Amino acid sequence: MKGKFYGIGVGPGDPELITLKAVNILKDIDIVICPKSKKDKKSYAFEIAERYLGVKTEILKLEFPMVYDKEILSNKWKENAKIIFELLEKGKNIAFLTIGDPMVYSTYMYLMNILKNYDIEIETVPGVTSFCAMASKVNIPLASEDETLCILPLRKQMDNLDAILDAFDNIVIMKPSHDNVKLAEKIEKMDKLNDFVLTSKCGQLDEEISYDVNRLKEDIPYLSTVILKKRGLRENE
Amino acid sequence: MKGKFYGIGVGPGDPELITLKAVNILKDIDIVICPKSKKDKKSYAFEIAERYLGVKTEILKLEFPMVYDKEILSNKWKENAKIIFELLEKGKNIAFLTIGDPMVYSTYMYLMNILKNYDIEIETVPGVTSFCAMASKVNIPLASEDETLCILPLRKQMDNLDAILDAFDNIVIMKPSHDNVKLAEKIEKMDKLNDFVLTSKCGQLDEEISYDVNRLKEDIPYLSTVILKKRGLRENE
């Protein structure tokens, strides 16, 4: 019998914020894929999952190059998919890990889309997203009742940012370091801002939380997120 | 010592999609709040959490009326917050449950915002959202790379829906039953639709998944969600 391919979200970083389903799959999995890196550093997702693996689990290191060239990427992903397919054919169950949720800005979805072309069973296990974890951390609601919520990576979104800031009740901006000064200036000009919060390295030891837009103008880590809220729940407070 | 108040997301419905953190808190919690209902029916979130509760956990039934009158709601929430505060003062740890994530369209956030006025410790435990679970279920990515994602409840959003459908790469529409026929017509007119999927009662026994926009024109359950994707990952397939 062919093995099954699992895409597993391990949650936002806190090892306790993984789901029971992910833990139950990991303890019996035959092979877990670990991205090969230059310095032989373990991936963040692998570090979280490692403690939940069974003693018999094999670790398969595959190279997933961090480049923007679509052709190089696509060829490498196809090559990796072929390696995975051959192991699935031998009856091995295989897990690919992602931080957060597999369907929200992960690399898993590329592999999944290639593997969809093979005759195999794919199960994706959802996880807690970084933005949900961040909102819980600071006890600020992301969206309530009929409010709208938008999630946007800052890269390439600067052009229509004004329109988005205008149209949405709640805005989560990922990767604000891409153009943080300009973003801070735009936020300062918003006249209906109820809440602003910037978190960096959420859930990690050197986590930082700031409610001051000026902090956004300084150097901020790549792993930062901004939440903007125009309406609040003030009437109930 | 005062007790601690926990807002716990139990995930989208599958009892295995709860986090380890939620399970670890529930097994030691003193009191868990269960919304009182007319027919003495257990809440969906309580049904999921029940199996993880310790033997000593007390169940506190409180009334959270399902009405639109803001004053009635606000007064009742304040009354409940006072009951909770008095128990916290007696050193009890108390949990309030929500389906999905506590910061995304939950009733928890109202209670939390009132309790913020008291001198107590509040910890919110994030959970897997319904839309992440749905995307994983159908193996369709919610957003990749620099794509934007917007989440909107259909109620009151029909006016600017055209603009939103136009501006965003990926759109999650919650509660489409509010105006499903009109929504279906708008979707049919979109010329760059890559993927459409409608799920109802995701994760439940009578779950339904449809990729046909025509299904949206018929009667659909209240617990339905639509995912629209304008771009895909076709180049890698």
Short mmCIF file of all heavy atoms in Angstrom, two decimals, chain A residues 99-147:
data_model
loop_
_atom_site.label_atom_id
_atom_site.label_comp_id
_atom_site.label_asym_id
_atom_site.label_seq_id
_atom_site.Cartn_x
_atom_site.Cartn_y
_atom_site.Cartn_z
N ILE A 99 5.76 26.25 9.59
CA ILE A 99 5.47 27.08 10.75
C ILE A 99 4.10 27.72 10.49
O ILE A 99 3.72 27.94 9.34
CB ILE A 99 6.62 28.13 10.92
CG1 ILE A 99 6.70 28.62 12.35
CG2 ILE A 99 6.55 29.27 9.95
CD1 ILE A 99 7.44 27.70 13.27
N GLY A 100 3.33 27.97 11.53
CA GLY A 100 2.00 28.57 11.35
C GLY A 100 1.04 27.59 10.71
O GLY A 100 0.97 26.42 11.09
N ASP A 101 0.30 28.08 9.72
CA ASP A 101 -0.67 27.27 8.98
C ASP A 101 -0.15 26.97 7.57
O ASP A 101 0.38 27.87 6.91
CB ASP A 101 -2.00 28.04 8.90
CG ASP A 101 -3.04 27.26 8.12
OD1 ASP A 101 -3.63 26.34 8.70
OD2 ASP A 101 -3.25 27.55 6.92
N PRO A 102 -0.33 25.73 7.09
CA PRO A 102 0.24 25.37 5.78
C PRO A 102 -0.36 26.15 4.60
O PRO A 102 0.26 26.21 3.54
CB PRO A 102 -0.11 23.88 5.65
CG PRO A 102 -0.43 23.40 7.01
CD PRO A 102 -0.98 24.58 7.75
N MET A 103 -1.56 26.70 4.77
CA MET A 103 -2.22 27.37 3.65
C MET A 103 -2.06 28.89 3.66
O MET A 103 -2.65 29.59 2.84
CB MET A 103 -3.70 27.00 3.62
CG MET A 103 -3.93 25.53 3.32
SD MET A 103 -2.99 25.00 1.85
CE MET A 103 -3.63 23.33 1.67
N VAL A 104 -1.31 29.40 4.61
CA VAL A 104 -1.10 30.85 4.71
C VAL A 104 0.39 31.15 4.58
O VAL A 104 1.16 30.95 5.52
CB VAL A 104 -1.66 31.40 6.05
CG1 VAL A 104 -1.43 32.89 6.17
CG2 VAL A 104 -3.16 31.08 6.18
N TYR A 105 0.80 31.61 3.39
CA TYR A 105 2.19 32.00 3.13
C TYR A 105 3.22 30.95 3.52
O TYR A 105 4.19 31.26 4.23
CB TYR A 105 2.51 33.33 3.84
CG TYR A 105 1.55 34.44 3.49
CD1 TYR A 105 0.68 34.96 4.43
CD2 TYR A 105 1.48 34.93 2.19
CE1 TYR A 105 -0.22 35.96 4.11
CE2 TYR A 105 0.59 35.93 1.85
CZ TYR A 105 -0.26 36.43 2.81
OH TYR A 105 -1.15 37.42 2.49
N SER A 106 3.01 29.72 3.11
CA SER A 106 4.01 28.70 3.40
C SER A 106 4.69 28.25 2.11
O SER A 106 4.23 28.57 1.01
CB SER A 106 3.35 27.48 4.04
OG SER A 106 2.74 26.68 3.04
N THR A 107 5.77 27.50 2.24
CA THR A 107 6.38 26.91 1.04
C THR A 107 5.74 25.56 0.72
O THR A 107 5.84 25.06 -0.39
CB THR A 107 7.90 26.72 1.23
OG1 THR A 107 8.12 26.09 2.48
CG2 THR A 107 8.63 28.04 1.20
N TYR A 108 5.05 25.00 1.72
CA TYR A 108 4.39 23.70 1.54
C TYR A 108 3.47 23.66 0.33
O TYR A 108 3.39 22.67 -0.40
CB TYR A 108 3.60 23.34 2.80
CG TYR A 108 2.57 22.26 2.60
CD1 TYR A 108 2.94 20.94 2.39
CD2 TYR A 108 1.21 22.57 2.60
CE1 TYR A 108 1.99 19.95 2.20
CE2 TYR A 108 0.25 21.59 2.40
CZ TYR A 108 0.65 20.28 2.20
OH TYR A 108 -0.30 19.31 2.00
N MET A 109 2.75 24.77 0.11
CA MET A 109 1.71 24.75 -0.93
C MET A 109 2.28 24.49 -2.34
O MET A 109 1.60 23.93 -3.18
CB MET A 109 0.87 26.02 -0.89
CG MET A 109 1.65 27.29 -0.75
SD MET A 109 0.58 28.76 -0.57
CE MET A 109 0.15 28.70 1.15
N TYR A 110 3.54 24.85 -2.57
CA TYR A 110 4.16 24.57 -3.87
C TYR A 110 4.34 23.07 -4.05
O TYR A 110 4.02 22.50 -5.08
CB TYR A 110 5.51 25.28 -3.99
CG TYR A 110 5.36 26.76 -3.93
CD1 TYR A 110 5.50 27.45 -2.74
CD2 TYR A 110 5.03 27.47 -5.08
CE1 TYR A 110 5.32 28.81 -2.68
CE2 TYR A 110 4.85 28.84 -5.05
CZ TYR A 110 5.00 29.51 -3.83
OH TYR A 110 4.81 30.85 -3.78
N LEU A 111 4.90 22.47 -3.00
CA LEU A 111 5.13 21.03 -3.02
C LEU A 111 3.80 20.30 -3.17
O LEU A 111 3.65 19.38 -3.98
CB LEU A 111 5.83 20.63 -1.71
CG LEU A 111 6.34 19.20 -1.62
CD1 LEU A 111 7.33 18.89 -2.75
CD2 LEU A 111 7.01 18.96 -0.27
N MET A 112 2.80 20.74 -2.40
CA MET A 112 1.47 20.12 -2.45
C MET A 112 0.90 20.17 -3.86
O MET A 112 0.39 19.19 -4.38
CB MET A 112 0.53 20.85 -1.49
CG MET A 112 -0.89 20.32 -1.49
SD MET A 112 -2.03 21.43 -0.62
CE MET A 112 -2.22 22.77 -1.84
N ASN A 113 1.01 21.34 -4.50
CA ASN A 113 0.44 21.50 -5.83
C ASN A 113 1.12 20.61 -6.87
O ASN A 113 0.49 20.14 -7.81
CB ASN A 113 0.46 22.96 -6.27
CG ASN A 113 -0.76 23.71 -5.75
OD1 ASN A 113 -1.80 23.11 -5.50
ND2 ASN A 113 -0.63 25.01 -5.57
N ILE A 114 2.41 20.37 -6.69
CA ILE A 114 3.10 19.45 -7.61
C ILE A 114 2.67 18.00 -7.31
O ILE A 114 2.36 17.24 -8.22
CB ILE A 114 4.63 19.59 -7.49
CG1 ILE A 114 5.06 21.01 -7.88
CG2 ILE A 114 5.34 18.57 -8.39
CD1 ILE A 114 6.49 21.35 -7.53
N LEU A 115 2.61 17.69 -6.02
CA LEU A 115 2.25 16.32 -5.63
C LEU A 115 0.80 15.96 -6.00
O LEU A 115 0.45 14.79 -6.13
CB LEU A 115 2.48 16.11 -4.13
CG LEU A 115 3.96 15.93 -3.74
CD1 LEU A 115 4.14 16.01 -2.23
CD2 LEU A 115 4.51 14.59 -4.26
N LYS A 116 -0.04 16.99 -6.18
CA LYS A 116 -1.43 16.75 -6.60
C LYS A 116 -1.49 16.04 -7.96
O LYS A 116 -2.49 15.42 -8.29
CB LYS A 116 -2.18 18.08 -6.72
CG LYS A 116 -2.83 18.57 -5.42
CD LYS A 116 -3.59 19.86 -5.73
CE LYS A 116 -4.29 20.44 -4.53
NZ LYS A 116 -4.93 21.74 -4.87
N ASN A 117 -0.41 16.19 -8.75
CA ASN A 117 -0.37 15.54 -10.06
C ASN A 117 -0.09 14.04 -9.98
O ASN A 117 -0.23 13.32 -10.95
CB ASN A 117 0.70 16.20 -10.95
CG ASN A 117 0.37 17.65 -11.21
OD1 ASN A 117 -0.77 17.98 -11.49
ND2 ASN A 117 1.36 18.52 -11.09
N TYR A 118 0.39 13.60 -8.83
CA TYR A 118 0.64 12.16 -8.64
C TYR A 118 -0.60 11.53 -8.02
O TYR A 118 -1.40 12.20 -7.37
CB TYR A 118 1.83 11.96 -7.68
CG TYR A 118 3.17 12.36 -8.24
CD1 TYR A 118 3.65 13.65 -8.08
CD2 TYR A 118 3.98 11.43 -8.89
CE1 TYR A 118 4.89 14.02 -8.57
CE2 TYR A 118 5.22 11.78 -9.37
CZ TYR A 118 5.68 13.08 -9.21
OH TYR A 118 6.91 13.43 -9.68
N ASP A 119 -0.72 10.22 -8.18
CA ASP A 119 -1.86 9.51 -7.60
C ASP A 119 -1.54 9.12 -6.16
O ASP A 119 -1.18 7.98 -5.87
CB ASP A 119 -2.16 8.27 -8.46
CG ASP A 119 -3.26 7.42 -7.85
OD1 ASP A 119 -4.15 8.00 -7.18
OD2 ASP A 119 -3.21 6.18 -8.02
N ILE A 120 -1.61 10.09 -5.26
CA ILE A 120 -1.30 9.84 -3.85
C ILE A 120 -2.32 10.55 -2.96
O ILE A 120 -3.02 11.46 -3.40
CB ILE A 120 0.11 10.35 -3.46
CG1 ILE A 120 0.27 11.83 -3.89
CG2 ILE A 120 1.20 9.48 -4.03
CD1 ILE A 120 1.42 12.53 -3.21
N GLU A 121 -2.36 10.09 -1.70
CA GLU A 121 -3.26 10.75 -0.76
C GLU A 121 -2.50 11.86 -0.02
O GLU A 121 -1.41 11.63 0.50
CB GLU A 121 -3.78 9.72 0.25
CG GLU A 121 -5.04 10.17 0.98
CD GLU A 121 -5.51 9.18 2.03
OE1 GLU A 121 -5.07 8.00 1.98
OE2 GLU A 121 -6.30 9.57 2.89
N ILE A 122 -3.07 13.06 -0.02
CA ILE A 122 -2.44 14.20 0.64
C ILE A 122 -3.37 14.68 1.75
O ILE A 122 -4.55 14.94 1.51
CB ILE A 122 -2.22 15.37 -0.34
CG1 ILE A 122 -1.29 14.93 -1.48
CG2 ILE A 122 -1.66 16.60 0.37
CD1 ILE A 122 -1.13 15.98 -2.59
N GLU A 123 -2.85 14.77 2.97
CA GLU A 123 -3.65 15.35 4.06
C GLU A 123 -2.92 16.56 4.63
O GLU A 123 -1.77 16.47 5.05
CB GLU A 123 -3.91 14.33 5.17
CG GLU A 123 -4.78 14.93 6.28
CD GLU A 123 -5.19 13.94 7.37
OE1 GLU A 123 -5.06 12.72 7.18
OE2 GLU A 123 -5.66 14.42 8.42
N THR A 124 -3.61 17.69 4.64
CA THR A 124 -3.02 18.90 5.21
C THR A 124 -3.62 19.13 6.59
O THR A 124 -4.84 19.06 6.76
CB THR A 124 -3.30 20.11 4.30
OG1 THR A 124 -2.90 19.79 2.97
CG2 THR A 124 -2.52 21.33 4.77
N VAL A 125 -2.76 19.36 7.56
CA VAL A 125 -3.22 19.58 8.93
C VAL A 125 -3.04 21.06 9.28
O VAL A 125 -1.92 21.56 9.33
CB VAL A 125 -2.41 18.70 9.92
CG1 VAL A 125 -2.86 18.93 11.35
CG2 VAL A 125 -2.54 17.23 9.54
N PRO A 126 -4.17 21.77 9.48
CA PRO A 126 -4.06 23.21 9.71
C PRO A 126 -3.39 23.53 11.04
O PRO A 126 -3.33 22.69 11.94
CB PRO A 126 -5.52 23.67 9.72
CG PRO A 126 -6.31 22.47 10.14
CD PRO A 126 -5.56 21.29 9.57
N GLY A 127 -2.88 24.76 11.14
CA GLY A 127 -2.22 25.17 12.38
C GLY A 127 -2.64 26.58 12.77
O GLY A 127 -3.32 27.27 12.02
N VAL A 128 -2.23 26.99 13.95
CA VAL A 128 -2.51 28.35 14.43
C VAL A 128 -1.60 29.31 13.66
O VAL A 128 -0.40 29.10 13.57
CB VAL A 128 -2.25 28.46 15.94
CG1 VAL A 128 -2.37 29.90 16.42
CG2 VAL A 128 -3.20 27.55 16.72
N THR A 129 -2.18 30.37 13.08
CA THR A 129 -1.38 31.34 12.31
C THR A 129 -0.64 32.30 13.25
O THR A 129 -1.04 32.50 14.39
CB THR A 129 -2.28 32.20 11.39
OG1 THR A 129 -3.18 32.94 12.21
CG2 THR A 129 -3.07 31.36 10.41
N SER A 130 0.40 32.93 12.70
CA SER A 130 1.16 33.90 13.49
C SER A 130 0.29 35.08 13.89
O SER A 130 0.39 35.60 15.00
CB SER A 130 2.38 34.38 12.70
OG SER A 130 1.95 35.08 11.55
N PHE A 131 -0.61 35.52 12.98
CA PHE A 131 -1.40 36.70 13.33
C PHE A 131 -2.45 36.42 14.40
O PHE A 131 -2.75 37.29 15.22
CB PHE A 131 -1.98 37.41 12.09
CG PHE A 131 -2.78 36.54 11.15
CD1 PHE A 131 -4.12 36.33 11.36
CD2 PHE A 131 -2.19 35.97 10.03
CE1 PHE A 131 -4.87 35.55 10.48
CE2 PHE A 131 -2.92 35.18 9.15
CZ PHE A 131 -4.27 34.98 9.38
N CYS A 132 -2.99 35.21 14.42
CA CYS A 132 -3.91 34.86 15.51
C CYS A 132 -3.15 34.79 16.84
O CYS A 132 -3.64 35.26 17.87
CB CYS A 132 -4.60 33.51 15.23
SG CYS A 132 -5.91 33.59 14.00
N ALA A 133 -1.96 34.21 16.81
CA ALA A 133 -1.16 34.10 18.03
C ALA A 133 -0.79 35.48 18.56
O ALA A 133 -0.85 35.74 19.76
CB ALA A 133 0.11 33.30 17.75
N MET A 134 -0.48 36.37 17.64
CA MET A 134 -0.10 37.72 18.02
C MET A 134 -1.27 38.45 18.66
O MET A 134 -1.13 39.12 19.69
CB MET A 134 0.36 38.45 16.76
CG MET A 134 0.68 39.89 17.00
SD MET A 134 0.98 40.72 15.41
CE MET A 134 0.82 42.43 15.96
N ALA A 135 -2.45 38.34 18.06
CA ALA A 135 -3.65 39.00 18.60
C ALA A 135 -3.96 38.48 20.00
O ALA A 135 -4.30 39.26 20.90
CB ALA A 135 -4.83 38.80 17.66
N SER A 136 -3.84 37.17 20.19
CA SER A 136 -4.08 36.58 21.51
C SER A 136 -3.06 37.08 22.52
O SER A 136 -3.39 37.38 23.66
CB SER A 136 -4.01 35.05 21.45
OG SER A 136 -5.26 34.52 21.07
N LYS A 137 -1.82 37.16 22.08
CA LYS A 137 -0.73 37.61 22.95
C LYS A 137 -1.03 39.00 23.53
O LYS A 137 -0.77 39.26 24.70
CB LYS A 137 0.56 37.66 22.12
CG LYS A 137 1.79 38.03 22.89
CD LYS A 137 2.42 36.80 23.46
CE LYS A 137 3.37 37.14 24.57
NZ LYS A 137 3.96 35.94 25.16
N VAL A 138 -1.54 39.89 22.70
CA VAL A 138 -1.78 41.26 23.16
C VAL A 138 -3.25 41.49 23.53
O VAL A 138 -3.64 42.62 23.86
CB VAL A 138 -1.33 42.30 22.09
CG1 VAL A 138 0.18 42.25 21.93
CG2 VAL A 138 -2.01 42.06 20.75
N ASN A 139 -4.05 40.43 23.50
CA ASN A 139 -5.49 40.54 23.83
C ASN A 139 -6.21 41.62 23.03
O ASN A 139 -6.97 42.42 23.56
CB ASN A 139 -5.67 40.76 25.33
CG ASN A 139 -5.45 39.48 26.13
OD1 ASN A 139 -5.65 38.38 25.62
ND2 ASN A 139 -5.03 39.63 27.38
N ILE A 140 -5.94 41.62 21.73
CA ILE A 140 -6.63 42.56 20.84
C ILE A 140 -7.36 41.76 19.76
O ILE A 140 -6.74 40.98 19.04
CB ILE A 140 -5.63 43.57 20.20
CG1 ILE A 140 -5.12 44.54 21.27
CG2 ILE A 140 -6.27 44.33 19.04
CD1 ILE A 140 -4.12 45.56 20.76
N PRO A 141 -8.70 41.92 19.68
CA PRO A 141 -9.48 41.17 18.68
C PRO A 141 -9.06 41.50 17.25
O PRO A 141 -8.77 42.66 16.94
CB PRO A 141 -10.92 41.64 18.92
CG PRO A 141 -10.93 42.18 20.31
CD PRO A 141 -9.56 42.78 20.51
N LEU A 142 -9.02 40.51 16.38
CA LEU A 142 -8.71 40.74 14.97
C LEU A 142 -9.93 41.22 14.20
O LEU A 142 -9.83 42.08 13.33
CB LEU A 142 -8.17 39.47 14.32
CG LEU A 142 -6.72 39.11 14.61
CD1 LEU A 142 -6.37 37.77 14.00
CD2 LEU A 142 -5.77 40.19 14.08
N ALA A 143 -11.10 40.65 14.49
CA ALA A 143 -12.32 41.09 13.81
C ALA A 143 -13.54 40.59 14.58
O ALA A 143 -13.55 39.48 15.09
CB ALA A 143 -12.37 40.53 12.39
N SER A 144 -14.55 41.44 14.66
CA SER A 144 -15.77 41.04 15.35
C SER A 144 -17.00 41.38 14.52
O SER A 144 -16.96 42.26 13.66
CB SER A 144 -15.85 41.73 16.72
OG SER A 144 -15.84 43.12 16.56
N GLU A 145 -18.06 40.66 14.77
CA GLU A 145 -19.35 40.86 14.09
C GLU A 145 -19.23 40.98 12.58
O GLU A 145 -18.79 40.06 11.93
CB GLU A 145 -20.05 42.09 14.67
CG GLU A 145 -20.52 41.84 16.10
CD GLU A 145 -21.35 42.97 16.64
OE1 GLU A 145 -22.44 43.20 16.10
OE2 GLU A 145 -20.91 43.61 17.61
N ASP A 146 -19.60 42.13 12.03
CA ASP A 146 -19.57 42.25 10.57
C ASP A 146 -18.34 43.01 10.07
O ASP A 146 -18.30 43.50 8.95
CB ASP A 146 -20.85 42.94 10.08
CG ASP A 146 -20.98 44.34 10.68
OD1 ASP A 146 -20.38 44.58 11.75
OD2 ASP A 146 -21.66 45.18 10.09
N GLU A 147 -17.31 43.09 10.91
CA GLU A 147 -16.08 43.77 10.50
C GLU A 147 -15.31 42.95 9.46
O GLU A 147 -15.37 41.73 9.46
CB GLU A 147 -15.16 43.98 11.71
CG GLU A 147 -15.65 45.00 12.70
CD GLU A 147 -14.71 45.15 13.88
OE1 GLU A 147 -13.65 44.48 13.90
OE2 GLU A 147 -15.02 45.92 14.79
#
